[in-house]
Amino acid sequence: MIEYLLIAPILTGILCFFTRSKKEVEAVSLTGSIATLVIGLILVENVYRQGVIISWTNALFADAFSAFIVLIVSIVGFVASVYSIGYMGHEFKHGIMDLKKLKIYYVLFHIFMFTMLLVGVTNNLGLWIAIEMTTLVSALLMILYTKKSSIEAAWKYMIICTVGITFALFGTILTYYAAVKILGETGDALNWTSLIAVAGQFDPTIMKLAFIFILIGYGTKAGLAPMHTWLPDAHSEAPTPVSALLSGVLLNCAMYGIIRFYTIATKSTGVDFTSNLLIIFGLLSLGVAVPFIILQEDYKRMLAYSSVEHMGIIALGIGFGGVFGIFGAILHMFNHAMTKSLMFFGAGNVLLKYETKEISKVSGIVKSMPATGGMLLIGGLAITGSPPFSIFLSEFTILSAGFLQGHIISSVLFLLFMIMIFAGFFNNLVTMTFGTPKPGIMPGEMSRWTLGAMAILVVFVIVLGVYIPPFFYEMIMKVVAVVR
Amino acid sequence: MSEVIFGSKIMQLLIAFILVSTFMILGSTRLYSCVRAFGIQSFLLAFVAGIVAYSTGKYDIYIVALLTLIIKSAVIPYIFIYIIREIKVKREVELYVTISPSIIIGGILVVISYYLIRSISIISELSSLALSASVSLVSIGLFIMISRKKALMQMLGILVMENGLFLGAISLTNGMPLLVELGIFFDVLIGVLIMGILIFRINKTFESIDTDMLKTLIG
C-alpha cells in the first residue's frame, strides 16, 4: 500500500517528462495527482481501520500521525496541481515559460510530492534524508524563473536549510548513540517502532543535547524564529503553486520531524525540558512575525511571515501539551495547510492580474476579480484567527490549553501577538481588496482552474470552522495518542 | 569496542591529520588548494572508516569507507574543479576575515570543542578525542561559510561540516545503519550537484559568484 503511494508521484513525474505538448503534460500531471490523492486517502482509511501498517521490510510504516501528514500532502498536492494548470498555463501563454520549462516544472512538482510523502512514511529516523531531499527539489523549482531575486532566494534557502539540517543530522546521530546503548548495533535501532518502546531508558543528558540539535535543525526548515530568515525570500520568490506547497505542506513536514523527536526525547528528559524549549521558540516566532506583517510592503512576503507565525503557534500548542494542546496543534497543522494554500493561490491570481507584489500598488480586487477577492477575504479572516473559520477553532483550543496547563504569561503573550497580527494583516488585506482598481486593470477572473482550486480549499476552511466530523475528530485523537 | 580503536596511536594520528587538513583550508588563498585539502581530509576519513571496519569486522563499514573514498575524495573535488574551470572565476578565495585571524579563530574553536566534549561526562574519554575533532570540524566549517565571499567556499564549508558529522557518527557508534549512510551519501552528492547548478546560474545572472551580490531581499 505505502509503496504505491510513493510510486504514483514518481511515475507521474517520469511520464510528464515524455509528453510532447502543454495539453498532454497537464493531463498526465492532473491524472497523476488524482491517483496520488486516491491512494493517499485509501492509505489513510486503512490506517484508521487497522492502526499501524508496516511494509518493505520495516523501512516504510504508517501510523496515525504519518497518515495525517499523508492526508495533508495529498490534498494540498492535488489542489496545487489543479491550480498549476491555470497559473502555469498563464505564464506559458505570456511566454515566461516555454514548453521545456513547463515540463521540467511538472516533473519536479511530482518529485517534490514524492519527497514530502516519503517524510511521512519512513520508519527510520533517517527521515532526515527525506527532508534534505525536499530542500534539494524545491530549490530547483525556485530557479525555474531566471530572475535575480529568485536565484538569490534559492541560494539562501539551499545554504541555510542545508546547514540547519546538518545540525538535525547531529541530533539524529546522538539519538542513535543513545539507542545503541540499549538496543545494540542493529540495523533497526533507528526505527521509530523499536525506538519508542525503549525511549524511556535513554540517557537524559544525551537526549537533551539531541533534542536541542533537532529543534534547531528541523526548526530551521520549519521556519521557527530566529532561524526563519530564508523563509520569506524563498516562499515569495517561488512559483505560486510551489509557494503554497512550501508554506502549507513542507513546513508541516519539518514540524512532523520535530514532533516525532519530541515524543522520543520527552520520554527520557521529562516533559518540562522539551515543552519549555518549544514554547520559547514558538513565542519568538510569533513575536518576530508581528512587525514584519504590520510593516510589510510585499503581499507574498506577508503571507510568508504569517507562516512563521503559524509554525510558532503549532510549536506553542505542542509545548503547552496536554490533550488539548496537542489536539489543537495537530488540527492547526491541517487548518493552516488549507488556509495558507488558499491565500497563496489568491495572491497568485492577484500577481498575474496586477503584475506587482507591492501591497500599495494593488487595490480593488473585489471589483476586478470578485470571486478571487471574496475568497481572499474569507481566507484572510480565517488566517488571522477570526470566528467562525477553521483556524479560530484550533487557535482557541491551543490558547485554552495554555491557560489550562498554567502557562499564563505565555498564553497572554500569545493572545497579544495574535491581536496585533490580526490588525496588521487585515489592514494590508483591506487596502488590497477594496477601493477602485487602477485604470488599465481589466475586470475578469484569471482562469477556472485557479478558482476551482481555491473553491475546494474554501470548503475546508468554512466547514471545519463550524463542524468537525466525528471520523476526523477520532483521527486527530489517534494522532494525539501517538504524540503523547 | 569503538573506544578501543579510537584510543590507538594510528587513529589519534589520523584524527590529528584531519584537523591539520581543515586548517589547510583555512590557511590557503587559492581555490584549488582548498579543494585539494578537502580531498585529503575525505581521504583520511575514508582511512578512519576503513580501520574501524577492519577492527570490528563489519562489512557495511567497508562499503561506507569505499563510498567516502570514491564520492568525497574523488567525485566531489572533481565537481569543484570542473565548476572553477567552467565559470573562469578568479582563482582566489576572497575573504571577509583574513588568513591569520582565521587560523587563530580556528584554533580557538578547536579548544572550545575539546572542552565542550570533555564536559559531557557520559561520553567516554577515548572516543571523546574523535568527537571533539568532529565538533571542531563542524564549527570550523560553519566559520568558513561565513568568512569567505565566494559561493563555492560556502559549499565547501557545508561539506567540511558534513565530514565532521561523519567522523562524529563513526566515533560514537561505528557509523549509522547502512541504509541511512547510503541515504546521506545520496543527499550529499545530489546536493553538491544542485549547488553546482545554482552557482552556474548565479554566475550567469550576476556575472560573479560573490555572495555580496546576494543581499537584495530583506525585510
Side-chain angles (χ1 to χ4, degrees), chain A residues 87-349:
Chain A
Y87 190 85
M88 286 298 159
H90 185 274
E91 302 275 69
F92 181 75
K93 212 162 68 191
H94 288 250
I96 300 168
M97 296 251 158
D98 52 9
L99 183 63
K100 195 177 146 222
K101 270 198 177 167
L102 194 70
K103 268 161 59 176
I104 294 177
Y105 168 78
Y106 280 112
V107 172
L108 289 174
F109 181 94
H110 287 281
I111 296 177
F112 187 34
M113 287 286 292
F114 160 77
T115 55
M116 288 191 294
L117 289 168
L118 189 64
V119 173
V121 297
T122 28
N123 190 356
N124 208 299
L125 284 190
L127 73 98
W128 182 87
I129 298 160
I131 293 189
E132 171 69 2
M133 277 204 273
T134 60
T135 314
L136 302 177
V137 183
S138 46
L140 281 181
L141 275 166
M142 257 173 241
I143 56 168
L144 274 178
Y145 293 133
T146 41
K147 281 183 305 191
K148 278 190 175 179
S149 52
S150 309
I151 292 169
E152 178 185 339
W155 179 255
K156 275 188 192 163
Y157 171 56
M158 184 95 192
I159 291 292
I160 297 178
C161 283
T162 309
V163 169
I165 220 117
T166 311
F167 287 122
L169 181 60
F170 195 55
T172 312
I173 292 171
L174 286 171
T175 311
Y176 181 60
Y177 176 58
V180 159
K181 289 200 159 179
I182 315 283
L183 292 168
E185 275 171 33
T186 52
D188 51 2
L190 257 184
N191 278 4
W192 169 259
T193 32
S194 39
L195 274 179
I196 194 67
V198 292
Q201 306 165 39
F202 290 173
D203 183 273
T205 326
I206 300 231
M207 285 316 288
K208 273 184 188 170
L209 211 59
F211 186 70
I212 292 175
F213 276 105
I214 289 288
L215 190 58
I216 293 177
Y218 290 148
T220 310
K221 193 88 178 81
L224 291 177
M227 296 86 72
H228 68 285
T229 45
W230 60 273
L231 191 146
D233 301 346
H235 288 204
S236 61
E237 293 300 327
T240 301
V242 180
S243 305
L245 280 181
L246 287 171
S247 257
V249 191
L250 186 55
L251 296 181
N252 278 339
C253 289
M255 221 48 204
Y256 167 82
I258 295 179
I259 298 174
R260 282 284 188 202
F261 272 92
Y262 162 85
T263 310
I264 293 175
T266 304
K267 285 204 161 45
S268 79
T269 63
V271 76
D272 282 345
F273 178 77
T274 44
S275 43
N276 282 342
L277 273 176
L278 282 170
I279 291 175
I280 292 169
F281 277 102
L283 281 178
L284 208 59
S285 309
L286 272 163
V288 162
V290 172
F292 285 101
I293 286 179
I294 295 178
L295 301 173
Q296 194 51 251
E297 287 167 355
D298 175 329
Y299 53 85
K300 268 184 109 178
R301 286 179 87 83
M302 178 174 78
L303 292 179
Y305 276 108
S306 152
S307 295
V308 174
E309 168 216 342
H310 283 280
M311 286 302 122
I313 294 176
I314 294 170
L316 265 182
I318 301 285
F320 286 156
V323 178
F324 268 118
I326 295 172
F327 183 91
I330 302 294
L331 183 61
H332 198 76
M333 280 172 117
F334 189 86
N335 290 343
H336 172 250
M338 299 306 147
T339 320
K340 187 50 65 60
S341 313
L342 171 66
M343 291 304 285
F344 265 114
F345 289 166
N349 282 357

Side-chain angles (χ1 to χ4, degrees), chain B residues 89-129:
Chain B
V89 336
K90 256 202 315 192
R91 306 285 159 89
E92 273 161 30
V93 181
E94 283 160 288
L95 313 149
Y96 289 116
V97 182
T98 48
I99 297 292
S100 13
S102 287
I103 290 188
I104 293 169
I105 290 172
I108 294 171
L109 287 175
V110 173
V111 174
I112 292 175
S113 316
Y114 187 77
Y115 278 103
L116 220 60
I117 295 298
R118 271 302 172 88
S119 63
I120 305 169
S121 54
I122 186 150
I123 292 165
S124 67
E125 193 141 318
L126 291 171
S127 61
S128 82
L129 180 73

Side-chain angles (χ1 to χ4, degrees), chain A residues 2-3 50-62 123 193:
Chain A
I2 306 177
E3 299 89 323
Q50 307 166 13
V52 180
I53 298 179
I54 293 177
S55 75
W56 228 57
T57 59
N58 261 341
L60 300 176
F61 100 122
N123 190 356
T193 32

